[in-house]
Amino acid sequence: MIRIALVSGMLCCAMQPPRSRPRSRRSSSHRRAEAPPPAAPPPPRGPAPYGEPPPYEEPPFEESVYAPQPLGNLAADLDREFEGARRNRVRGAIILTVSLVLLVALGAGAMLAWGSMSGKKPLAADTPDSPATSSPSADTAPSSPPVVTPKQPPYIPAKGDGKFTRPPSATRAYGHGKLMRYMVEVEGGLRQNPTAFARSVDRIMADPRGWTAGGKWSFRRVDSGPYDFVVRLASPGTVDKICGAYGLTTEGKVNCSVGKQVVVNLKRWLLLTTFYRGQPDHYHALVINHEVGHRLGFGHMTCAGRGRAAPVMQQQIFGLKGCKINGWPFDRRGRLVTGPSVP
């Protein structure tokens, strides 16, 4: 019985549900932290209150600016930079060259304008060894040259017909040295004999005191073919036209030497100058030798000293400056009559 009672008691205990344990309260230090209250919304943007600096805002980061560029793009950029620099250098060189050309052209134009106003041109060196080249030259001065007034005034038209006649004859060569061929022509309407004028020129060119004396040139008149210069007798108006085409001002009063032309003014040829009164042949020698001297490369000279012979390259029609008249480049002993160079 006792056994049955024990067994029954054990079964009853086994069948009862287990009792729950009382929960022990945790201390406040071990409680779970409560969530913080939500943050207040940011204040609206606008000007900061007076006396307080505005809050610092870091600029946004732009990745495209700082991102590394590919090497291919960098090389292309460098090529473009170098090509642009090269084009700038080429453009600068072209502009500089054009500027220099314009500057030179303006300077040359100014020189020609000055020469046209003054009637003077720079000439080659006036030494015996000057080359046979010439620059346009005319005998000019501020006043008219003194002339001889004959009792019976010669016929001197203001202008001829502009057509030149050349005598159909030639001469042998005179002198030794480089041969210079020349022609002689006379403008129509002057009442001058072309053959007589040509003979006067021939005598002057063949004279031993002429330009053959130095042994550097010889001269021969031709009527056709190649020639080095032509001696032309022309009216005052035609002289102005021929010489003016080269920028010279003759005013119908003087002679000139331009290009291959030695132009003799009829007025000068017939009226001479007061310094050569009664000596037409001597004065004609001065006219021809002076202008041919320009053709040979000689420039103007002046008197070398009182009482000495005037150089043939001196503008004697405007004054002798103390020298004696002389129409020949060399004296009888074969010495070149020279003097200081002048414009």
Side-chain angles (χ1 to χ4, degrees), residues 136-229:
S137 176
D139 295 325
T140 58
S143 60
S144 299
V147 296
V148 175
T149 304
K151 295 180 180 180
Q152 183 69 26
Y155 177 73
I156 304 177
K159 191 173 183 180
D161 60 12
K163 299 178 181 179
F164 289 85
T165 300
R166 183 185 313 150
S169 60
T171 64
R172 65 179 182 87
Y174 298 98
H176 303 280
K178 180 181 179 180
L179 179 62
M180 303 291 290
R181 300 177 178 87
Y182 67 93
M183 293 182 177
V184 176
E185 296 177 347
V186 175
E187 184 183 10
L190 307 185
R191 300 181 185 177
Q192 295 292 318
N193 188 328
T195 301
F197 179 70
R199 288 175 180 172
S200 297
V201 175
D202 294 341
R203 285 195 298 268
I204 295 169
M205 301 306 299
D207 194 283
R209 297 166 292 175
W211 288 111
T212 61
K216 193 171 183 179
W217 297 285
S218 60
F219 297 90
R220 178 173 182 263
R221 179 164 63 88
V222 297
D223 56 1
S224 62
Y227 66 95
D228 296 286
F229 62 93

Coordinates of all heavy atoms in Angstrom, one line a residue, residues 136-229:
P136 N 70.6 109.5 -112.9 CA 70.0 110.7 -113.5 C 70.6 112.0 -112.9 O 70.8 112.1 -111.7 CB 68.5 110.6 -113.2 CG 68.3 109.1 -113.0 CD 69.5 108.6 -112.4
S137 N 71.0 112.9 -113.7 CA 71.7 114.1 -113.2 C 71.3 115.3 -114.1 O 71.2 115.2 -115.3 CB 73.2 114.0 -113.2 OG 73.8 115.2 -112.9
A138 N 71.1 116.4 -113.4 CA 70.8 117.7 -114.2 C 71.6 118.8 -113.5 O 71.8 118.8 -112.3 CB 69.3 118.0 -114.2
D139 N 72.0 119.8 -114.3 CA 72.6 121.0 -113.7 C 71.5 121.9 -113.2 O 70.7 122.5 -114.0 CB 73.4 121.7 -114.8 CG 74.6 120.9 -115.3 OD1 75.1 120.1 -114.5 OD2 74.9 120.9 -116.5
T140 N 71.4 122.0 -111.9 CA 70.4 122.8 -111.3 C 71.0 123.8 -110.3 O 72.0 123.6 -109.7 CB 69.4 122.0 -110.5 OG1 70.1 121.2 -109.5 CG2 68.7 121.0 -111.5
A141 N 70.3 124.9 -110.1 CA 70.7 126.0 -109.2 C 69.5 126.8 -108.8 O 68.5 126.8 -109.6 CB 71.9 126.8 -109.7
P142 N 69.6 127.5 -107.7 CA 68.4 128.3 -107.3 C 68.1 129.5 -108.3 O 67.0 130.0 -108.3 CB 68.8 128.9 -106.0 CG 70.3 128.8 -105.9 CD 70.6 127.6 -106.7
S143 N 69.0 129.9 -109.1 CA 68.8 131.0 -110.0 C 69.1 130.6 -111.4 O 69.8 129.6 -111.7 CB 69.6 132.3 -109.6 OG 71.0 132.0 -109.7
S144 N 68.7 131.4 -112.4 CA 68.9 131.0 -113.8 C 70.4 131.3 -114.1 O 71.0 132.3 -113.7 CB 68.0 131.9 -114.7 OG 66.7 131.6 -114.5
P145 N 71.0 130.5 -114.9 CA 72.4 130.7 -115.3 C 72.5 131.9 -116.2 O 71.7 132.2 -117.0 CB 72.8 129.4 -116.0 CG 71.5 128.9 -116.5 CD 70.5 129.2 -115.5
P146 N 73.6 132.7 -116.1 CA 73.8 133.8 -116.9 C 74.1 133.4 -118.4 O 74.8 132.5 -118.6 CB 75.0 134.6 -116.3 CG 75.7 133.5 -115.6 CD 74.7 132.5 -115.1
V147 N 73.5 134.1 -119.3 CA 73.7 133.7 -120.7 C 74.1 134.9 -121.5 O 74.0 136.1 -121.1 CB 72.3 133.2 -121.3 CG1 71.9 131.9 -120.7 CG2 71.2 134.2 -121.2
V148 N 74.7 134.7 -122.7 CA 75.1 135.7 -123.6 C 73.9 136.2 -124.4 O 73.1 135.3 -125.0 CB 76.2 135.2 -124.5 CG1 76.6 136.3 -125.5 CG2 77.4 134.8 -123.7
T149 N 73.7 137.4 -124.5 CA 72.6 138.0 -125.3 C 73.1 138.5 -126.6 O 73.7 139.6 -126.7 CB 71.8 139.1 -124.6 OG1 71.4 138.6 -123.3 CG2 70.6 139.6 -125.4
P150 N 73.0 137.7 -127.7 CA 73.5 138.2 -129.0 C 72.7 139.3 -129.6 O 71.5 139.5 -129.3 CB 73.5 136.9 -129.8 CG 72.4 136.1 -129.3 CD 72.4 136.4 -127.8
K151 N 73.3 140.0 -130.5 CA 72.6 141.1 -131.2 C 71.4 140.5 -132.0 O 70.4 141.1 -132.1 CB 73.5 141.9 -132.1 CG 74.6 142.7 -131.3 CD 75.5 143.5 -132.2 CE 76.5 144.3 -131.4 NZ 77.4 145.0 -132.3
Q152 N 71.7 139.4 -132.7 CA 70.7 138.8 -133.5 C 70.3 137.5 -132.7 O 71.0 136.5 -132.8 CB 71.3 138.4 -134.9 CG 70.3 137.8 -135.8 CD 69.2 138.8 -136.2 OE1 69.4 140.0 -136.2 NE2 68.0 138.3 -136.6
P153 N 69.2 137.5 -132.0 CA 68.8 136.3 -131.2 C 68.6 135.1 -132.1 O 68.0 135.2 -133.2 CB 67.5 136.8 -130.6 CG 67.5 138.3 -130.6 CD 68.2 138.6 -131.8
P154 N 69.1 133.9 -131.7 CA 69.0 132.7 -132.5 C 67.5 132.2 -132.4 O 66.8 132.6 -131.5 CB 70.0 131.8 -132.0 CG 70.2 132.2 -130.6 CD 70.0 133.7 -130.6
Y155 N 67.2 131.3 -133.3 CA 65.9 130.7 -133.3 C 65.9 129.6 -132.2 O 66.6 128.6 -132.4 CB 65.5 130.1 -134.6 CG 64.2 129.4 -134.6 CD1 63.0 130.1 -134.6 CD2 64.1 128.0 -134.7 CE1 61.8 129.5 -134.6 CE2 62.9 127.4 -134.8 CZ 61.7 128.1 -134.7 OH 60.5 127.4 -134.7
I156 N 65.1 129.7 -131.1 CA 65.0 128.8 -130.1 C 63.5 128.5 -129.8 O 62.9 129.3 -129.0 CB 65.8 129.2 -128.8 CG1 67.2 129.5 -129.1 CG2 65.7 128.1 -127.7 CD1 68.0 130.1 -127.9
P157 N 62.9 127.6 -130.4 CA 61.5 127.3 -130.1 C 61.3 126.7 -128.7 O 62.2 126.0 -128.2 CB 61.1 126.3 -131.2 CG 62.3 125.6 -131.5 CD 63.5 126.6 -131.4
A158 N 60.2 127.0 -128.1 CA 59.9 126.5 -126.8 C 59.8 124.9 -126.8 O 60.2 124.2 -125.9 CB 58.6 127.1 -126.2
K159 N 59.3 124.4 -128.0 CA 59.2 123.0 -128.1 C 59.3 122.6 -129.6 O 58.7 123.3 -130.5 CB 57.8 122.5 -127.5 CG 57.7 121.0 -127.4 CD 56.4 120.7 -126.7 CE 56.3 119.2 -126.5 NZ 55.0 118.8 -125.7
G160 N 60.0 121.5 -129.8 CA 60.1 121.0 -131.2 C 59.0 120.0 -131.5 O 58.0 120.0 -130.8
D161 N 59.2 119.2 -132.5 CA 58.1 118.3 -132.9 C 58.2 116.9 -132.2 O 57.4 116.1 -132.4 CB 58.1 118.0 -134.4 CG 59.5 117.5 -134.9 OD1 60.3 117.0 -134.1 OD2 59.7 117.4 -136.2
G162 N 59.3 116.7 -131.3 CA 59.4 115.5 -130.6 C 60.0 114.4 -131.4 O 60.2 113.3 -130.8
K163 N 60.3 114.5 -132.7 CA 60.9 113.5 -133.5 C 62.4 113.8 -133.7 O 62.7 114.9 -134.1 CB 60.2 113.4 -134.8 CG 58.7 113.1 -134.7 CD 58.0 113.0 -136.0 CE 56.5 112.7 -135.9 NZ 55.8 112.7 -137.2
F164 N 63.2 112.8 -133.5 CA 64.7 112.9 -133.6 C 65.2 112.3 -134.9 O 64.8 111.2 -135.3 CB 65.3 112.3 -132.4 CG 65.1 113.1 -131.1 CD1 64.0 112.9 -130.4 CD2 66.0 114.1 -130.7 CE1 63.8 113.6 -129.2 CE2 65.8 114.8 -129.6 CZ 64.7 114.6 -128.8
T165 N 66.2 113.0 -135.5 CA 66.8 112.5 -136.7 C 68.2 112.2 -136.4 O 69.0 112.9 -135.7 CB 66.8 113.7 -137.8 OG1 65.4 114.0 -138.1 CG2 67.5 113.2 -139.1
R166 N 68.7 111.0 -136.9 CA 70.0 110.5 -136.7 C 70.8 110.5 -138.0 O 70.3 109.9 -139.0 CB 69.9 109.1 -136.2 CG 71.3 108.4 -135.8 CD 71.0 107.0 -135.4 NE 69.9 106.9 -134.5 CZ 69.2 105.8 -134.4 NH1 69.3 104.8 -135.2 NH2 68.2 105.8 -133.5
P167 N 71.9 111.1 -138.1 CA 72.7 111.2 -139.3 C 73.1 109.7 -139.7 O 73.6 109.0 -138.9 CB 73.9 112.0 -139.0 CG 73.5 112.8 -137.8 CD 72.6 112.0 -137.0
P168 N 73.0 109.4 -141.0 CA 73.3 108.0 -141.4 C 74.8 107.8 -141.7 O 75.3 107.7 -142.8 CB 72.5 107.9 -142.7 CG 72.5 109.2 -143.2 CD 72.4 110.2 -142.1
S169 N 75.6 107.9 -140.6 CA 77.1 107.7 -140.8 C 77.6 107.3 -139.5 O 77.0 107.4 -138.4 CB 77.7 109.0 -141.3 OG 77.5 110.1 -140.3
A170 N 78.9 106.8 -139.5 CA 79.6 106.3 -138.3 C 81.0 106.7 -138.4 O 81.5 107.2 -139.5 CB 79.5 104.8 -138.2
T171 N 81.8 106.6 -137.3 CA 83.2 107.0 -137.3 C 84.0 105.8 -136.8 O 83.5 104.8 -136.3 CB 83.4 108.2 -136.3 OG1 83.0 107.7 -135.0 CG2 82.5 109.3 -136.7
R172 N 85.3 106.0 -136.9 CA 86.2 105.0 -136.3 C 86.3 105.2 -134.8 O 85.8 106.2 -134.3 CB 87.6 105.1 -137.0 CG 88.3 106.4 -136.7 CD 89.7 106.4 -137.3 NE 90.4 107.6 -137.0 CZ 91.2 107.7 -135.9 NH1 91.3 106.7 -135.0 NH2 91.8 108.9 -135.7
A173 N 86.9 104.2 -134.2 CA 87.0 104.3 -132.7 C 88.2 105.3 -132.4 O 89.3 105.2 -133.0 CB 87.3 103.0 -132.1
Y174 N 88.0 106.1 -131.4 CA 89.1 107.0 -130.9 C 89.5 106.6 -129.4 O 88.6 106.3 -128.6 CB 88.6 108.4 -130.9 CG 88.2 109.0 -132.2 CD1 86.8 109.0 -132.6 CD2 89.1 109.5 -133.1 CE1 86.5 109.5 -133.9 CE2 88.8 110.0 -134.3 CZ 87.5 110.0 -134.7 OH 87.1 110.4 -136.0
G175 N 90.8 106.5 -129.2 CA 91.3 106.2 -127.9 C 91.5 104.7 -127.7 O 91.3 103.9 -128.6
H176 N 91.9 104.4 -126.5 CA 92.2 103.0 -126.1 C 91.5 102.7 -124.8 O 91.4 103.5 -123.9 CB 93.7 102.7 -126.0 CG 94.5 103.1 -127.2 ND1 94.6 102.2 -128.3 CD2 95.2 104.2 -127.5 CE1 95.3 102.8 -129.2 NE2 95.7 104.0 -128.8
G177 N 91.0 101.5 -124.7 CA 90.2 101.1 -123.5 C 88.9 100.6 -123.9 O 88.6 100.2 -125.0
K178 N 88.0 100.5 -122.9 CA 86.7 100.0 -123.1 C 85.9 100.8 -124.2 O 85.8 102.0 -124.1 CB 85.9 100.0 -121.8 CG 84.5 99.4 -122.0 CD 83.7 99.4 -120.7 CE 82.3 98.9 -120.9 NZ 81.5 99.0 -119.6
L179 N 85.4 100.1 -125.2 CA 84.7 100.8 -126.3 C 83.3 101.2 -125.9 O 82.5 100.4 -125.4 CB 84.7 99.9 -127.5 CG 83.9 100.5 -128.8 CD1 84.7 101.7 -129.3 CD2 83.8 99.5 -129.9
M180 N 83.1 102.5 -126.1 CA 81.7 103.1 -125.8 C 81.1 103.6 -127.1 O 81.7 104.5 -127.7 CB 81.9 104.2 -124.8 CG 82.5 103.9 -123.5 SD 81.5 102.8 -122.5 CE 80.2 103.9 -122.0
R181 N 80.1 102.9 -127.5 CA 79.4 103.3 -128.8 C 78.3 104.4 -128.4 O 77.6 104.2 -127.5 CB 78.7 102.1 -129.4 CG 79.7 101.0 -129.8 CD 79.0 99.8 -130.3 NE 79.9 98.7 -130.8 CZ 80.4 97.8 -130.0 NH1 80.0 97.7 -128.7 NH2 81.2 96.9 -130.4
Y182 N 78.3 105.4 -129.3 CA 77.3 106.4 -129.0 C 76.6 106.8 -130.4 O 77.2 106.6 -131.4 CB 77.9 107.7 -128.4 CG 78.9 108.4 -129.3 CD1 78.5 109.5 -130.0 CD2 80.3 108.1 -129.3 CE1 79.4 110.2 -130.8 CE2 81.2 108.7 -130.1 CZ 80.7 109.8 -130.8 OH 81.7 110.5 -131.6
M183 N 75.4 107.3 -130.2 CA 74.7 107.9 -131.4 C 74.5 109.4 -131.2 O 74.6 109.9 -130.0 CB 73.3 107.2 -131.5 CG 73.4 105.7 -131.9 SD 71.7 105.0 -132.1 CE 72.2 103.3 -132.7
V184 N 74.1 110.1 -132.2 CA 73.8 111.5 -132.2 C 72.5 111.7 -132.9 O 72.3 111.2 -134.0 CB 74.9 112.4 -132.8 CG1 74.5 113.8 -132.8 CG2 76.3 112.2 -132.1
E185 N 71.6 112.5 -132.2 CA 70.3 112.8 -132.8 C 69.9 114.2 -132.5 O 70.3 114.8 -131.5 CB 69.2 111.8 -132.2 CG 69.4 110.4 -132.5 CD 68.4 109.5 -131.8 OE1 67.7 110.0 -131.0 OE2 68.3 108.3 -132.2
V186 N 69.1 114.8 -133.5 CA 68.6 116.2 -133.3 C 67.1 116.2 -133.5 O 66.6 115.5 -134.4 CB 69.3 117.1 -134.4 CG1 68.7 118.5 -134.3 CG2 70.8 117.1 -134.2
E187 N 66.4 116.9 -132.6 CA 65.0 117.0 -132.7 C 64.6 117.8 -133.9 O 65.2 118.8 -134.2 CB 64.4 117.6 -131.4 CG 62.9 117.6 -131.3 CD 62.4 118.3 -130.1 OE1 63.2 119.0 -129.3 OE2 61.2 118.3 -129.8
G188 N 63.5 117.4 -134.5 CA 62.9 118.2 -135.6 C 62.3 119.5 -135.2 O 61.8 119.6 -134.0
G189 N 62.3 120.5 -136.1 CA 61.7 121.8 -135.8 C 62.6 122.7 -135.1 O 62.2 123.8 -134.7
L190 N 63.9 122.4 -135.0 CA 64.9 123.3 -134.3 C 65.7 124.2 -135.3 O 66.4 125.1 -134.9 CB 65.9 122.6 -133.5 CG 65.3 121.6 -132.4 CD1 66.4 121.0 -131.5 CD2 64.2 122.3 -131.5
R191 N 65.6 123.8 -136.6 CA 66.4 124.5 -137.7 C 67.9 124.2 -137.4 O 68.7 125.1 -137.7 CB 66.1 126.0 -137.7 CG 64.7 126.3 -138.1 CD 64.5 127.8 -138.1 NE 63.1 128.2 -138.3 CZ 62.6 129.4 -138.4 NH1 63.5 130.5 -138.2 NH2 61.3 129.7 -138.5
Q192 N 68.2 123.0 -136.9 CA 69.6 122.7 -136.7 C 69.9 121.5 -137.6 O 69.1 120.6 -137.8 CB 69.8 122.3 -135.3 CG 69.6 123.4 -134.3 CD 70.7 124.5 -134.4 OE1 71.9 124.2 -134.6 NE2 70.3 125.8 -134.4
N193 N 71.2 121.5 -138.2 CA 71.6 120.4 -139.1 C 72.1 119.2 -138.2 O 73.1 119.4 -137.5 CB 72.7 121.0 -140.0 CG 73.1 120.0 -141.0 OD1 73.1 118.8 -140.9 ND2 73.5 120.5 -142.2
P194 N 71.5 118.1 -138.3 CA 71.9 116.9 -137.6 C 73.4 116.5 -137.9 O 74.1 116.1 -137.0 CB 70.9 115.8 -138.0 CG 69.7 116.6 -138.4 CD 70.2 117.8 -139.1
T195 N 73.8 116.6 -139.1 CA 75.1 116.2 -139.5 C 76.2 117.2 -138.9 O 77.2 116.7 -138.3 CB 75.3 116.2 -141.0 OG1 74.4 115.3 -141.6 CG2 76.7 115.8 -141.4
A196 N 75.9 118.5 -138.9 CA 76.8 119.4 -138.3 C 76.9 119.2 -136.8 O 78.0 119.3 -136.2 CB 76.4 120.9 -138.6
F197 N 75.8 119.0 -136.1 CA 75.9 118.7 -134.7 C 76.6 117.5 -134.4 O 77.4 117.4 -133.5 CB 74.4 118.6 -134.2 CG 74.4 118.4 -132.7 CD1 74.8 119.3 -131.7 CD2 73.9 117.1 -132.2 CE1 74.7 119.1 -130.4 CE2 73.9 116.9 -130.8 CZ 74.3 117.8 -129.9
A198 N 76.4 116.4 -135.2 CA 77.2 115.1 -135.0 C 78.7 115.4 -135.1 O 79.5 114.8 -134.4 CB 76.7 114.1 -136.0
R199 N 79.1 116.2 -136.1 CA 80.5 116.4 -136.3 C 81.1 117.2 -135.1 O 82.3 116.9 -134.7 CB 80.8 117.2 -137.6 CG 80.5 116.3 -138.8 CD 80.6 117.2 -140.1 NE 80.4 116.4 -141.3 CZ 80.3 116.9 -142.5 NH1 80.4 118.3 -142.7 NH2 80.1 116.1 -143.6
S200 N 80.4 118.1 -134.5 CA 80.8 118.8 -133.3 C 81.0 117.8 -132.2 O 82.1 117.9 -131.5 CB 79.8 119.9 -132.9 OG 79.7 120.9 -133.9
V201 N 80.1 116.9 -132.0 CA 80.2 115.9 -130.9 C 81.4 115.0 -131.2 O 82.2 114.7 -130.3 CB 78.9 115.1 -130.8 CG1 79.1 114.0 -129.8 CG2 77.8 116.0 -130.4
D202 N 81.6 114.6 -132.4 CA 82.7 113.7 -132.8 C 84.1 114.4 -132.5 O 85.0 113.7 -131.9 CB 82.7 113.3 -134.3 CG 81.5 112.5 -134.6 OD1 80.9 111.9 -133.7 OD2 81.1 112.4 -135.8
R203 N 84.2 115.7 -132.8 CA 85.5 116.3 -132.5 C 85.8 116.4 -131.0 O 86.9 116.2 -130.6 CB 85.5 117.8 -133.1 CG 85.6 117.8 -134.6 CD 85.9 119.3 -135.0 NE 84.8 120.2 -134.7 CZ 83.8 120.4 -135.5 NH1 83.7 119.9 -136.7 NH2 82.8 121.3 -135.1
I204 N 84.7 116.6 -130.2 CA 84.9 116.7 -128.8 C 85.3 115.3 -128.2 O 86.2 115.2 -127.4 CB 83.6 117.2 -128.1 CG1 83.4 118.6 -128.6 CG2 83.7 117.1 -126.6 CD1 82.0 119.2 -128.2
M205 N 84.7 114.2 -128.7 CA 84.9 112.9 -128.2 C 86.3 112.4 -128.6 O 86.9 111.6 -127.9 CB 83.9 111.9 -128.6 CG 82.5 112.3 -128.2 SD 82.3 112.5 -126.4 CE 82.7 110.9 -125.8
A206 N 86.8 112.9 -129.7 CA 88.2 112.5 -130.2 C 89.3 113.3 -129.7 O 90.5 113.0 -129.9 CB 88.2 112.4 -131.7
D207 N 89.0 114.4 -129.0 CA 90.1 115.3 -128.6 C 91.0 114.6 -127.5 O 90.5 113.9 -126.7 CB 89.5 116.6 -128.0 CG 90.5 117.7 -127.8 OD1 91.3 117.6 -126.9 OD2 90.5 118.6 -128.7
P208 N 92.3 114.8 -127.6 CA 93.2 114.2 -126.7 C 93.0 114.7 -125.2 O 93.5 114.0 -124.3 CB 94.6 114.5 -127.2 CG 94.4 115.7 -128.1 CD 93.1 115.6 -128.7
R209 N 92.4 115.8 -125.0 CA 92.1 116.2 -123.7 C 90.7 115.7 -123.2 O 90.3 116.0 -122.0 CB 92.0 117.8 -123.6 CG 93.4 118.4 -124.0 CD 93.1 119.9 -124.2 NE 92.4 120.1 -125.4 CZ 92.0 121.3 -125.9 NH1 92.2 122.4 -125.2 NH2 91.3 121.5 -127.0
G210 N 90.0 114.9 -124.0 CA 88.7 114.4 -123.6 C 88.8 113.2 -122.8 O 89.9 112.8 -122.2
W211 N 87.7 112.4 -122.7 CA 87.6 111.2 -121.9 C 88.5 110.1 -122.3 O 88.7 109.1 -121.6 CB 86.2 110.8 -121.7 CG 85.4 111.7 -120.9 CD1 84.4 112.6 -121.3 CD2 85.5 112.0 -119.5 NE1 83.9 113.3 -120.3 CE2 84.5 112.9 -119.1 CE3 86.3 111.5 -118.5 CZ2 84.4 113.4 -117.8 CZ3 86.2 111.9 -117.2 CH2 85.2 112.9 -116.8
T212 N 89.1 110.2 -123.5 CA 90.0 109.1 -124.0 C 91.4 109.3 -123.4 O 92.2 108.3 -123.4 CB 90.1 109.2 -125.5 OG1 90.7 110.4 -125.9 CG2 88.8 109.0 -126.2
A213 N 91.7 110.4 -122.8 CA 93.1 110.7 -122.3 C 93.5 109.7 -121.2 O 94.7 109.4 -121.1 CB 93.2 112.1 -121.8
G214 N 92.6 109.3 -120.4 CA 93.0 108.4 -119.3 C 93.3 107.0 -119.7 O 93.8 106.2 -118.9
G215 N 93.0 106.6 -121.0 CA 93.3 105.3 -121.4 C 92.3 104.2 -121.0 O 92.5 103.0 -121.1
K216 N 91.2 104.7 -120.4 CA 90.2 103.7 -119.9 C 89.1 103.5 -120.8 O 88.5 102.4 -120.8 CB 89.7 104.3 -118.5 CG 88.9 103.2 -117.7 CD 88.6 103.7 -116.3 CE 87.9 102.7 -115.5 NZ 87.6 103.1 -114.1
W217 N 88.8 104.5 -121.7 CA 87.6 104.4 -122.6 C 88.1 104.8 -124.0 O 88.9 105.7 -124.2 CB 86.5 105.3 -122.1 CG 85.9 105.0 -120.8 CD1 85.1 103.9 -120.5 CD2 86.1 105.7 -119.6 NE1 84.8 103.9 -119.2 CE2 85.3 105.0 -118.6 CE3 86.8 106.8 -119.2 CZ2 85.3 105.4 -117.3 CZ3 86.7 107.3 -117.9 CH2 86.0 106.6 -117.0
S218 N 87.4 104.2 -124.9 CA 87.5 104.6 -126.3 C 86.0 104.9 -126.8 O 85.1 104.3 -126.3 CB 88.2 103.6 -127.2 OG 87.5 102.3 -127.2
F219 N 85.9 105.7 -127.9 CA 84.6 106.1 -128.3 C 84.4 105.9 -129.8 O 85.4 106.2 -130.6 CB 84.3 107.5 -127.9 CG 84.3 107.7 -126.4 CD1 85.4 108.1 -125.7 CD2 83.1 107.6 -125.7 CE1 85.4 108.3 -124.4 CE2 83.1 107.8 -124.3 CZ 84.3 108.1 -123.6
R220 N 83.2 105.5 -130.2 CA 82.9 105.4 -131.7 C 81.5 105.7 -131.9 O 80.6 105.1 -131.2 CB 83.3 104.0 -132.1 CG 83.0 103.7 -133.6 CD 83.5 102.4 -134.0 NE 83.2 102.1 -135.4 CZ 82.2 101.4 -135.9 NH1 81.3 100.9 -135.1 NH2 82.0 101.3 -137.2
R221 N 81.2 106.6 -132.9 CA 79.8 106.9 -133.2 C 79.3 105.9 -134.1 O 79.9 105.5 -135.1 CB 79.7 108.3 -133.8 CG 78.2 108.6 -134.1 CD 78.0 110.1 -134.3 NE 78.8 110.6 -135.5 CZ 78.4 110.7 -136.7 NH1 77.2 110.2 -137.1 NH2 79.2 111.2 -137.7
V222 N 78.0 105.4 -133.9 CA 77.4 104.4 -134.7 C 76.0 105.0 -135.1 O 75.5 105.9 -134.4 CB 77.2 103.1 -134.0 CG1 78.6 102.4 -133.7 CG2 76.4 103.2 -132.7
D223 N 75.4 104.5 -136.1 CA 74.1 104.9 -136.6 C 73.0 103.8 -136.5 O 71.9 104.0 -136.8 CB 74.1 105.5 -138.0 CG 74.7 104.5 -139.0 OD1 75.0 103.3 -138.6 OD2 74.8 104.8 -140.2
S224 N 73.5 102.6 -136.0 CA 72.5 101.5 -135.8 C 73.2 100.5 -134.9 O 74.4 100.5 -134.6 CB 72.2 100.9 -137.2 OG 73.3 100.3 -137.8
G225 N 72.4 99.5 -134.5 CA 72.9 98.4 -133.7 C 73.0 98.8 -132.2 O 72.5 99.9 -131.8
P226 N 73.8 98.0 -131.4 CA 73.9 98.3 -130.0 C 74.6 99.6 -129.8 O 75.5 100.0 -130.5 CB 74.7 97.1 -129.5 CG 74.6 96.1 -130.5 CD 74.5 96.8 -131.8
Y227 N 74.3 100.3 -128.7 CA 74.9 101.6 -128.3 C 74.9 101.7 -126.8 O 74.1 101.2 -126.1 CB 74.3 102.8 -129.0 CG 72.9 103.1 -128.6 CD1 72.6 104.0 -127.5 CD2 71.8 102.4 -129.1 CE1 71.3 104.3 -127.1 CE2 70.5 102.6 -128.7 CZ 70.3 103.6 -127.7 OH 69.0 103.8 -127.3
D228 N 75.8 102.5 -126.3 CA 75.9 102.8 -124.8 C 75.2 104.0 -124.4 O 74.7 104.1 -123.3 CB 77.4 102.8 -124.4 CG 78.1 101.5 -124.7 OD1 77.9 100.5 -123.9 OD2 78.9 101.4 -125.6
F229 N 75.2 105.0 -125.3 CA 74.5 106.3 -125.0 C 74.2 107.0 -126.3 O 74.8 106.8 -127.3 CB 75.2 107.2 -123.9 CG 76.5 107.7 -124.4 CD1 76.7 108.9 -125.0 CD2 77.7 106.9 -124.2 CE1 77.9 109.4 -125.4 CE2 78.9 107.4 -124.6 CZ 79.0 108.6 -125.2

